[in-house]
Amino acid sequence: MSQVPKESAPLEGYAAPSTVEEALRLIADGDATILAGGTDLMLQTKPGGRLPYRRKLVNIRRISELRGVSEKDGRMSIGALTTITDIDNNDLLNTVTPVLPQTANCFASSQIRNAGTVGGNICNASPAGDMIVPLLVLDAEVELSAWTNGAVTTRLVSLDKFFTGPGRTIKQPNELLTRIVFARPDKKLFAGYIKSGPRPALEISTVSAALSAIRDNGKLSRVRIALGAVGPTVLRAVKAEAYLEGKTVTAQVAAEAARLAAEDASPIDDVRATAWYRRHLIQVYIKRLLENDSQG
Amino acid sequence: MEPIAKKSLIGQRVPKPDAPDKATGRTTYINDMVLPKMLYGKILHAGRPHALIKNIDVSAAKALPGVHAVLTAADVPEMFFGVGRDNRPLKGGKVRCVRDEVAAVAAESEELCDEALRLIKVEYEDLPAVFDPAEGAKEGAPLIHDNKPGNRSLAYQFKHGDVAAAEASSDVVIDSVFNVHYVTHCCMGTSCVIADFDCDGKLTIYSQTQYPYNFKMDLAPALGIHPGDIRVIQPPVGGAFGSKLDVYPFEPVCALLAQAARRPVKLTFSREEEFINAPTRQPVRIHMRTGAKKDGTLTFRKVDCLLNNGAYTSWGPTVPFVMMRTFSSHFRVPNVDIDCRAIYTNNPYAGSFRGYGNVQATYATSIHADMMAEKLGMDLLTFSLKNAQKSGEVTPQGARLNECVFAECLQKAADVTDFTAKHARYAAERNKPGRIKRGIGMASSIHNAGGAKIHKSDGCGTMIKLDDYARATVITGASEIGQGIDAVICQVVAEELGIPMSDITIVNNDSAIAPWDVGVHASRTTFIAGNAAQRAARKAREQMLNAASKRANMPADALDLREGWVVHDSDGTPVLKIDKLLREMHFSREPELVMVSEYYEPPSEPENKEHVGDMSAAYSHAVHVAEVEVDTETGEIRIVKFTSVQDVGRVINEMGLEAQLEGGIVMGIGYALSEELKIVNGQVRNPSFRDYKVLTAPEIPPMELHFIESHSSTGPMGAKGIAELPTIVPAPAIANAVYNAIGIRFFDPPMTPEKVARAIWERDSKLAAAE
Ligand SMILES: Cc1cc2nc3c(=O)[nH]c(=O)nc-3n(C[C@H](O)[C@H](O)[C@H](O)COP(=O)(O)OP(=O)(O)OC[C@H]3O[C@@H](n4cnc5c(N)ncnc54)[C@H](O)[C@@H]3O)c2cc1C
């Protein structure tokens, strides 16, 4: 492990478009690095980082149409450039899905939250990406836009299918993530999120977990569990979900679901925690989420 | 004129004079400095723990436009420096740890330096390496320095009394192995130096050093120049905490680059470089046996310490000096047998760090006190009081405990926290159901509080001059590295001279101006520099009062200096303004200026070969109580309340005192709970604040600070040194509280959530299996 920085290619151009169309035209050749809040990018492209810049740097922060939260026909839409602070402070989200503001609230520090965007968090595709975890249990989809054959084209992809590995997604280099959309949650849906660490803020998650389900007369249905930092991508605990479907939560049921969720995960040992501890925490968190005790 | 009453500044809350500029961003730290024609320097570190250097090719780097110097060991004389004279600025032949400096460049910008470093091609042949001192001591282990057989570095022994007989007569003996870990200083300002040679070959070095005078002595051999030809300028620094108490290779390397390039060169570490290359706290394996009688009387301590020296010897492996003091004098220990050895390995190496060995030693002694009390069925307070020394006692190593208020500190700490009752209650609740468990823990320690005579002198020089407007300049050897000595000196001098603090300027940043001082370490500066300043100020005061006495026709001892006036001491009647007096003294037929000097040497003695000697002019104690909540599922520890009771001698600046204590305690809590430099196979695995966890504001617990004033007969105004105890005592207080909460001891800090959760899970699994 040499301490000498690796080489990264010199930049040839910089642009800061103010509309989606302009941005898509600029990146149409697929040879642009996209800059949103830069809170991931700046660290990665510094000397010694893992990514070299592409030829052009396209700063998308001035595209105001991509910032903000809205609702239409029972569909929620969050613009890719909505900052983590925006989510934390958003009244609509606070009423409709408090789990998102709750997650934003234990995300990094105020400074990072002010700059970092939800689109950046998703596109960075870190297995520890905090916003991804609750969005997965809300069955969110991402809208990918591109400039093809002289027009803006879009496709919707389930967030579940978006990630292919750490830092890797199905997004093409000529595509921009423009929006995150999900159905307005049912009134009976409950959702919770827990992140590890004695200081959740400014902590890269050792483990994070989100759970949502509809609880009707004590019985669970439409159960979704997502786990962060315990595999190559944020992942769904499908065995645990299936097990919980139709069940009433008891201590035994919670313990079994927790055990299955730990099986669903594939954590590793690294400098932050061992696989053992990650599995241990998954079980603690799943039990707590089922007991609706996400305050930790 | 109204009479002017006598008022004292001592014990008041005084803001640090440097605080407003620092808080508003006006201060130019060394890291901000730019000299005309200055170049930047960077070092190529080995990045591997043990290897032969087969070949270095610097031709491409040299050819890069904008590069002014490229150096390797082949370009500089083979000079050795460092505490163990085993280090060189640039390494030739082989590298012994990841830090090793194999080449250095000076160029027009840092980016060019990076590019030049990339162009240097080094061929290595890796050698078998050793990272564990126990392995390093074995026969056949890879030899790190040819002239250090058995990889033996420093060794220390101290024996007193008859430990074998004491053990035979003990009713209870406990035996534990503690492994205390690597942490690092995390100064906000990363390591930085600017070197500038003049045409006569004299070096001006802008440095973060906290010991400017001996720094010259230690730097000179690395450069092959005379110490007298080095001038040290100390711009404001972003923290030091002991990390700047030695010369480290980047400093001579920067000077060598400046010499080669004939331009000033500045060398700054990135944060990643800082984590990898700056000194650490010394890790130690402490094997301790402690005995006691049924009635709680301690009978002996037998201690064996193994220190991971790392590849070179800075101050780290000398910490047994202080550890032995703790083992032999934290409580009354009639018989002691201590053996400490440092063994070279291919790890990075440690330097001095606030607490200097006592953080490590107290972790062991304070946990053993708690274990012993439990084993004897006594409460910790009773046990501690039974073994606490009283004023006048002399420790086995010859420390005279004058003005000793250890027992008062213990009693106060227990009283204000309701310690004994809570401790019993939490222990009783330990095995009941419940996810969150509470615990309370107490720890204590002793530390030198009147300097430490480990050099030929422990003194400090001070000069004071007053101008025609009664503005004073205090030129002191004592460095300000953020600890607050400027405020203390202003207070002490203002108190003696009767002028406002704002009329005092401190000059202490240039070795060509200020007189000698041994450096900022050993909790000594307020004590030593405070005494020096007070004595100098008294000389100035005497000169002024004598002059005033002639003019006022009154005996000098009937006069006093208050609020800018010469007054009658008895009733405060103003006689003459001080500035007027000074002008009259200056512009008279027998002109005199007030300019005085003092060199204060504390009444302490160096240790003899057997490590006996009253090496400090004062000693003090602190007692900490931590109350914690442990989440038994996640292993997270939350400190609910932290209480400190410390013998401070006398409060001089209450605000500075609080800041030192709070900052020190935060450092101590980080040591206990979250901070660890993870070094695996000689590599630093977490060289960033992302993975090296210092406490941040939300985790800092509410603190209650109590000062016990023992009025040291030797300290300035009665004060004692205070700065290290706050960092020394927290970790065992927290460990004891965690034990009280969950019944598990942690002999290997930090007590991270994972470690705690794992220990609980293992215990519960064993219990379940047994059922
Ligand atoms: C101190 C610190 C603390 C942090 N703490 C946390 C934390 O607690 N939890 C957490 O999850 N993360 C954390 N992060 C990581 C980071 O802040 C987040 O991932 C953030 O959401 C990234 O958003 P950004 O707008 O800054 O992304 P950028 O850095 O601008 O971009 C990230 C990546 O996504 C790409 N990209 C961005 N937007 C788009 C888009 N609309 N379409 C296509 N590609 C795009 C970029 O090209 C880049 O590859 C932390 C970072 C730092 C420095």
Side-chain angles (χ1 to χ4, degrees):
Chain A
M1 200 176 81
S2 158
Q3 293 178 36
V4 183
K6 288 174 240 13
E7 242 159 317
S8 91
L11 266 180
E12 287 169 20
Y14 169 80
S18 53
T19 66
V20 172
E21 183 181 320
E22 237 182 295
L24 294 179
R25 282 163 178 266
L26 280 162
I27 68 166
D29 62 2
D31 200 9
T33 297
I34 294 161
L35 171 78
T39 59
D40 278 317
L41 194 69
M42 306 274 258
L43 276 70
Q44 292 161 356
T45 44
K46 263 180 68 163
R50 64 184 161 96
L51 295 175
Y53 279 121
R54 291 174 194 267
R55 255 181 350 103
K56 270 175 292 185
L57 183 65
V58 176
N59 174 1
I60 57 171
R61 271 306 277 273
R62 296 187 194 161
I63 308 178
S64 50
E65 61 190 289
L66 287 187
R67 184 167 177 181
V69 181
S70 61
E71 185 190 3
K72 202 176 157 205
D73 305 332
R75 299 283 290 166
M76 307 293 302
S77 167
I78 303 176
L81 291 176
T82 309
T83 66
I84 309 301
T85 300
D86 292 342
I87 291 180
D88 191 9
N89 296 337
N90 190 274
D91 290 338
L92 182 58
L93 290 179
N94 255 313
T95 346
V96 176
T97 65
V99 69
L100 292 176
Q102 184 197 331
T103 305
N105 197 259
C106 41
F107 189 110
S109 58
S110 313
Q111 294 93 325
I112 299 289
R113 289 203 284 260
N114 287 340
T117 64
V118 61
N121 194 242
I122 295 173
C123 290
N124 191 55
S126 159
D130 275 326
M131 293 313 303
I132 301 167
V133 184
L135 284 170
L136 270 178
V137 302
L138 296 171
D139 288 338
E141 294 173 300
V142 290
E143 180 191 80
L144 301 175
S145 307
W147 181 257
T148 26
N149 303 325
V152 175
T153 55
T154 64
R155 57 173 176 148
L156 271 185
V157 180
S158 156
L159 189 57
D160 213 6
K161 304 266 156 21
F162 185 66
F163 305 104
T164 55
R168 289 202 306 274
T169 70
I170 60 154
K171 186 182 78 64
Q172 297 301 309
N174 67 335
E175 284 179 313
L176 207 58
L177 192 159
T178 36
R179 254 172 281 278
I180 299 115
V181 294
F182 54 92
R184 183 188 169 110
D186 189 291
K187 284 222 171 58
K188 292 193 203 109
L189 184 116
F190 74 96
Y193 170 85
I194 306 183
K195 176 178 177 177
S196 69
R199 48 178 234 218
L202 265 188
E203 189 85 38
I204 304 295
S205 293
T206 304
V207 169
S208 57
L211 182 147
S212 79
I214 291 176
R215 202 192 315 247
D216 216 346
N217 287 325
K219 276 208 173 55
L220 299 185
S221 63
R222 209 226 65 136
V223 183
R224 299 284 183 276
I225 295 174
L227 303 171
V230 292
T233 64
V234 176
L235 52 86
R236 290 265 301 274
V238 284
K239 276 197 246 170
E241 288 177 1
Y243 168 78
L244 283 169
E245 204 63 39
K247 294 255 176 4
T248 303
V249 177
T250 62
Q252 277 96 331
V253 166
E256 179 60 9
R259 196 186 63 77
L260 288 170
E263 266 184 33
D264 281 318
S266 52
I268 53 159
D269 291 340
D270 69 12
V271 71
R272 292 171 205 154
T274 63
W276 176 86
Y277 187 52
R278 291 194 159 102
R279 284 217 159 82
H280 177 80
L281 281 184
I282 291 171
Q283 303 193 47
V284 171
Y285 292 170
I286 296 301
K287 284 186 229 167
R288 285 186 193 175
L289 286 166
L290 283 169
E291 288 155 13
N292 227 345
D293 175 19
S294 55
Q295 298 325 308
Chain B
M1 270 297 296
E2 290 287 305
I4 302 171
K6 205 179 182 77
K7 272 190 233 142
S8 178
L9 279 166
I10 305 305
Q12 302 298 311
R13 303 181 64 79
V14 174
K16 292 167 64 163
D18 53 337
D21 276 359
K22 283 184 173 162
T24 55
R26 293 179 58 88
T27 303
T28 303
Y29 290 93
I30 182 169
N31 305 63
D32 304 319
M33 277 182 65
V34 179
L35 295 185
K37 302 191 78 180
M38 185 179 89
L39 300 173
Y40 296 86
K42 271 205 180 284
I43 292 173
L44 183 68
H45 299 281
R48 57 184 71 215
H50 204 190
L52 293 175
I53 303 174
K54 305 299 280 185
N55 188 42
I56 307 185
D57 180 0
V58 298
S59 50
K62 275 194 169 147
L64 190 69
V67 171
H68 290 252
V70 181
L71 297 178
T72 68
D75 304 305
V76 300
E78 186 165 341
M79 298 287 183
F80 286 89
F81 74 100
V83 174
R85 285 285 185 273
D86 55 9
N87 209 342
R88 293 174 59 192
L90 290 162
K91 277 65 174 178
K94 76 167 184 172
V95 296
R96 298 176 177 84
C97 73
V98 288
R99 286 180 188 170
D100 272 9
E101 298 75 13
V102 293
V105 299
E108 301 281 349
S109 70
E110 291 206 316
E111 290 72 20
L112 265 177
C113 287
D114 284 334
E115 213 174 320
L117 290 188
R118 276 197 295 270
L119 294 173
I120 298 175
K121 300 282 172 271
V122 190
E123 269 174 56
Y124 293 104
E125 180 186 317
D126 285 318
L127 294 170
V130 61
F131 307 111
D132 174 57
E135 292 299 316
K138 284 187 183 153
E139 214 171 303
L143 193 62
I144 291 159
H145 294 273
D146 289 345
N147 59 350
K148 306 281 179 182
N151 290 321
R152 283 190 293 280
S153 178
L154 304 175
Y156 300 81
Q157 280 96 32
F158 175 73
K159 287 187 194 352
H160 180 85
D162 186 341
V163 162
E167 172 149 8
S169 73
S170 298
D171 296 313
V172 176
V173 172
I174 51 175
D175 189 303
S176 324
V177 176
F178 300 84
N179 267 301
V180 292
H181 57 304
Y182 282 104
V183 293
T184 187
H185 305 70
C186 299
C187 300
M188 283 206 270
T190 59
S191 298
C192 181
V193 62
I194 304 171
D196 188 11
F197 279 91
D198 69 11
C199 291
D200 295 332
K202 291 190 174 160
L203 170 64
T204 300
I205 190 155
Y206 300 81
S207 166
Q208 296 164 318
T209 183
Q210 55 192 99
Y211 79 122
Y213 302 93
N214 285 355
F215 179 80
K216 303 203 289 188
M217 181 176 81
D218 292 346
L219 178 62
L223 300 172
I225 64 176
H226 191 277
D229 288 339
I230 301 174
R231 178 175 184 178
V232 182
I233 311 273
Q234 298 166 273
V237 301
F241 308 108
S243 63
K244 314 296 192 287
L245 202 63
D246 199 357
V247 169
Y248 290 99
F250 75 97
E251 293 163 313
V253 164
C254 184
L256 291 166
L257 287 170
Q259 203 171 37
R262 298 169 178 276
R263 298 259 292 263
V265 175
K266 176 179 185 178
L267 199 154
T268 311
F269 279 178
S270 68
R271 181 57 68 184
E272 185 181 4
E273 272 184 300
E274 181 80 5
F275 272 111
I276 298 173
N277 301 296
T280 67
R281 190 184 287 289
Q282 178 64 50
V284 193
R285 195 209 65 183
I286 303 171
H287 180 185
M288 192 161 88
R289 259 173 106 69
T290 307
K293 298 270 198 196
K294 268 198 203 95
D295 69 355
T297 311
L298 275 173
T299 47
F300 77 95
R301 268 194 201 130
K302 183 165 167 43
V303 192
D304 181 271
C305 292
L306 184 61
L307 287 75
N308 193 332
N309 193 91
Y312 303 96
T313 306
S314 176
W315 289 115
T318 73
V319 299
F321 261 125
V322 177
M323 292 203 296
M324 294 197 301
R325 292 265 156 183
T326 307
F327 295 140
S328 67
S329 69
H330 178 205
F331 299 117
R332 192 183 300 112
V333 197
N335 302 285
V336 274
D337 181 346
I338 310 168
D339 191 341
C340 307
R341 300 167 311 288
I343 302 293
Y344 283 104
T345 68
N346 295 110
N347 268 8
Y349 45 103
S352 93
F353 194 167
R354 193 180 198 174
Y356 209 98
N358 203 353
V359 173
Q360 296 90 319
T362 294
Y363 195 72
T365 56
S366 270
I367 289 179
H368 256 200
D370 197 48
M371 291 169 73
M372 191 56 98
E374 185 183 40
K375 200 144 188 192
L376 291 164
M378 293 175 85
D379 70 83
L380 180 58
L381 176 67
T382 312
F383 173 82
S384 300
L385 285 171
K386 176 124 202 146
N387 294 291
Q389 296 101 323
K390 312 238 157 20
S391 286
E393 285 189 47
V394 179
T395 72
Q397 283 188 266
R400 270 165 215 291
L401 307 183
N402 301 324
E403 301 103 21
C404 174
V405 291
F406 189 13
E408 288 88 324
C409 291
L410 286 162
Q411 191 66 56
K412 175 96 186 176
D415 289 349
V416 297
T417 58
D418 193 17
F419 176 77
T420 303
K422 277 187 174 172
H423 192 269
R425 191 162 78 236
Y426 295 148
E429 281 166 12
R430 193 189 288 160
N431 296 319
K432 294 189 186 149
R435 183 178 114 203
I436 304 288
K437 291 291 169 196
R438 267 210 184 214
I440 192 165
M442 182 190 278
S444 57
S445 196
I446 179 171
H447 203 68
N448 46 274
K453 199 157 285 178
I454 55 166
H455 298 277
K456 288 177 187 142
S457 165
D458 193 25
C460 173
T462 302
M463 305 187 289
I464 298 178
K465 71 166 184 105
L466 282 117
D467 70 8
D468 300 335
Y469 315 104
R471 304 288 166 120
T473 302
V474 184
I475 304 160
T476 170
S479 304
E480 171 66 67
I481 55 170
Q483 84 277 36
I485 189 58
D486 286 2
V488 167
I489 287 179
C490 281
Q491 267 178 293
V492 167
V493 171
E495 181 85 355
E496 294 294 340
L497 300 186
I499 57 174
M501 283 179 60
S502 53
D503 286 1
I504 299 172
T505 300
I506 309 266
V507 175
N508 56 350
N509 57 358
D510 187 342
S511 70
I513 297 172
W516 194 88
D517 173 82
V518 83
V520 180
H521 77 129
S523 304
R524 71 183 280 281
T525 309
T526 288
F527 191 99
I528 309 282
N531 265 326
Q534 188 182 31
R535 284 162 191 239
R538 283 190 175 156
K539 285 184 182 170
R541 175 188 168 87
E542 197 180 291
Q543 190 184 349
M544 286 151 71
L545 288 179
N546 282 337
S549 127
K550 282 187 218 144
R551 284 164 179 79
N553 249 331
M554 286 182 73
D557 61 10
L559 296 171
D560 192 13
L561 303 174
R562 292 178 199 167
E563 294 180 30
W565 285 82
V566 180
V567 300
H568 290 173
D569 188 40
S570 54
D571 59 6
T573 310
V575 182
L576 174 66
K577 282 197 86 170
I578 293 177
D579 58 345
K580 185 147 188 287
L581 168 70
L582 288 164
R583 283 194 295 273
E584 285 183 13
M585 289 165 73
H586 184 183
F587 305 111
S588 71
R589 256 195 293 159
E590 288 169 54
E592 56 175 324
L593 278 181
V594 179
M595 41 184 194
V596 297
S597 70
E598 169 72 22
Y599 183 71
Y600 170 74
E601 180 71 44
S604 49
E605 62 195 33
E607 288 187 349
N608 63 17
K609 283 211 176 60
E610 283 72 47
H611 296 294
V612 175
D614 193 14
M615 44 78 85
S616 182
Y619 301 88
S620 107
H621 288 86
V623 180
H624 289 183
V625 175
E627 194 165 351
V628 304
E629 271 180 9
V630 182
D631 182 324
T632 54
E633 294 175 356
T634 62
E636 288 159 15
I637 297 170
R638 190 170 75 86
I639 301 179
V640 182
K641 177 85 184 272
F642 200 95
T643 306
S644 156
V645 180
Q646 183 167 336
D647 169 15
V648 300
R650 175 140 179 236
V651 179
I652 295 194
N653 179 7
E654 194 180 21
M655 229 198 294
L657 187 56
E658 284 171 2
Q660 276 288 316
L661 262 58
E662 286 170 358
I665 288 168
V666 169
M667 230 173 201
I669 297 174
Y671 185 76
L673 296 185
S674 60
E675 289 187 45
E676 179 173 26
L677 200 64
K678 294 181 182 160
I679 301 180
V680 181
N681 292 339
Q683 300 281 359
V684 177
R685 294 282 314 280
N686 56 340
S688 73
F689 281 121
R690 184 184 62 194
D691 294 324
Y692 182 100
K693 308 280 188 194
V694 291
L695 250 57
T696 58
E699 300 106 56
I700 296 175
M703 292 185 205
E704 191 177 309
L705 310 176
H706 296 271
F707 311 129
I708 306 287
E709 296 195 306
S710 61
H711 294 272
S712 163
S713 55
T714 43
M717 322 275 180
K720 290 183 175 180
I722 55 92
E724 288 170 287
L725 275 169
T727 303
I728 290 165
V729 195
I734 295 165
N736 289 342
V738 170
Y739 179 79
N740 185 226
I742 61 170
I744 299 176
R745 295 268 175 214
F746 290 89
F747 298 104
D748 51 347
M751 292 168 272
T752 59
E754 166 153 8
K755 216 179 269 176
V756 174
R758 179 106 204 175
I760 294 172
W761 179 80
E762 277 172 2
R763 185 204 40 202
D764 292 351
S765 308
K766 255 186 233 153
L767 285 178
E771 267 165 21

